[in-house]
Amino acid sequence: MPRIDTKYIMPQFILAHFGHHVATGVLVPLLPVLRESFGINYFQSGILVSSFSLAYGLGQVPIAILADRFSRRLIIILGLVGVSLAGICISMTDAFWQMVPFFVLMGLLGGTYHAPASSLLAQIIPAHQRGRALGMHIMGGSGSYLVTPAMALGIAFLLQSWRPSFFLLALPALLAGVIIWLTTEEPQGDAVAPGLLSKESSQGPTPFVTGPPAQISWVQIVRAIGLLVCLTTFLNVVFSSVNSFLPLYMVDHYGISPKWAGMVVSVIAGAGLIGAPLGGALSDRLGRKTLILFSVALSGPLLFAVTRSILGIFLLLSLFVYGLTMSVRMPVTESLIADVVPTRRRTTVLGFYFFMTMETSGIITPIVGRLIDIYGLQPVFTGIPAGMCVIAVIALLFRKHI
């Protein structure tokens, strides 16, 4: 079996990331269709999303620990195949509550991808190219979100059922798992040389870190990157929760047909195809901290613009710029963690990071849905960006201490 070749590793993992999110990304764009089919409200829609996202978060840490101790590659392969099979099972259900346990299963199996994949790539790619590489990897996920809504809705309306969408779009993950199994094996060692751990080297204007030391404590890790990771986790949670309801928001606020409302996910994801590699590459030159604070500062105003734009080109433009700014931070945070944490602990720390994001968003999403049921769309979608603006002001005022 051939060893992992850095020349081919990025296309393989872009495909894997694409297949993973094609399988897991069908639900949100089909929420308006499922609402019509099952007669569910915002709260029930949030429960459906959370059955996946809570399990997605719960699986991150134990799976990451296993990946660090055994084989990242094997965990990734098993997860891709498992997510595909879960999607096929969802396509065979015929009642709302039958879907919930299979979304839980998909979430648990989905926890096998992000932390092991990012850790594996960070181990293979040299530190001075890490941001760009992880940004390219995220392009696979962004690309899937770009095309999945169109494919899911197109299949559903062409075949007059939402079930074939889940079945057919589960297959790319299975294909990606087979390709990685046939063409790679677990790498040995790290592509970067040992270096020094410092807050300035991983965040400041000289970001060319040669690698973290082999022995550092958990306290050192938290001191070096804890506040920045908490900031980006907060953005991830808000971004995930808001995105879950944007298709329904388009239907109820703008009067867009359920057949087209799910396409807003594509606009935001399309922006990620540019924002993720751009953010990663810029962080290699300007520093991780600068890019994260940039994303924090613009998140609130841009979300407010999305909720106040006039239907048409201004709405599409605000969605695109919002998605662009939000996607910038994703590879930057993963690169920041890889800069500081040694290989033997990297997947575990990445697992905690994804756990905090996904588990918190899984709790917040149905709460946001319930608030919308009680108070209405506009008060909730005004309060969220206002809160983000407050967090941004605090972060910028105390940026020297982060």
Side-chain angles (χ1 to χ4, degrees), residues 119-194:
S119 178
L120 188 66
L121 289 172
Q123 182 180 358
I124 297 167
I125 306 298
H128 68 282
Q129 299 175 350
R130 185 174 289 148
R132 182 178 63 177
L134 291 175
M136 290 175 62
H137 177 234
I138 288 174
M139 288 176 64
S142 298
S144 71
Y145 285 123
L146 176 64
V147 301
T148 299
M151 291 192 298
L153 292 167
I155 293 170
F157 287 104
L158 180 64
L159 301 180
Q160 298 298 307
S161 173
W162 53 266
R163 292 179 181 85
S165 296
F166 281 97
F167 182 89
L168 294 175
L169 297 183
L171 300 180
L174 180 62
L175 174 64
V178 171
I179 290 175
I180 292 179
W181 177 58
L182 292 175
T183 60
T184 68
E185 66 179 27
E186 192 79 12
Q188 301 298 322
D190 207 320
V192 296

Side-chain angles (χ1 to χ4, degrees), residues 334-401:
E334 294 177 16
S335 300
L336 176 70
I337 292 171
D339 289 345
V340 172
V341 183
T343 303
R344 64 186 182 85
R345 288 181 173 175
R346 191 174 292 153
T347 311
T348 301
V349 174
L350 284 165
F352 273 107
Y353 164 62
F354 289 118
F355 166 80
M356 289 189 298
T357 297
M358 296 171 186
E359 205 63 20
T360 307
S361 64
I363 295 171
I364 294 298
T365 298
I367 294 176
V368 172
R370 186 57 178 164
L371 290 174
I372 294 173
D373 286 334
I374 296 173
Y375 299 107
L377 285 168
Q378 283 307 116
V380 175
F381 274 81
T382 299
I384 290 175
M388 294 169 71
C389 288
V390 172
I391 296 296
V393 170
I394 295 173
L396 293 176
L397 287 175
F398 294 95
R399 63 187 181 276
K400 293 182 179 180
H401 303 285

Side-chain angles (χ1 to χ4, degrees), residues 31-40 157 258:
L31 270 179
V33 179
L34 293 173
R35 182 171 67 172
E36 286 189 346
S37 178
F38 295 110
I40 58 179
F157 287 104

Side-chain angles (χ1 to χ4, degrees), residues 73-96:
R73 170 184 168 273
L74 181 60
I75 291 292
I76 292 167
I77 293 169
L78 292 176
L80 288 169
V81 174
V83 162
S84 178
L85 295 177
I88 293 172
C89 290
I90 290 169
S91 72
M92 298 178 182
T93 61
D94 56 9
F96 168 72

Side-chain angles (χ1 to χ4, degrees), residues 270-289:
L273 286 172
I274 301 172
L278 178 63
L282 286 175
S283 75
D284 285 337
R285 294 182 174 273
L286 302 178
R288 318 301 188 202
K289 177 178 177 178

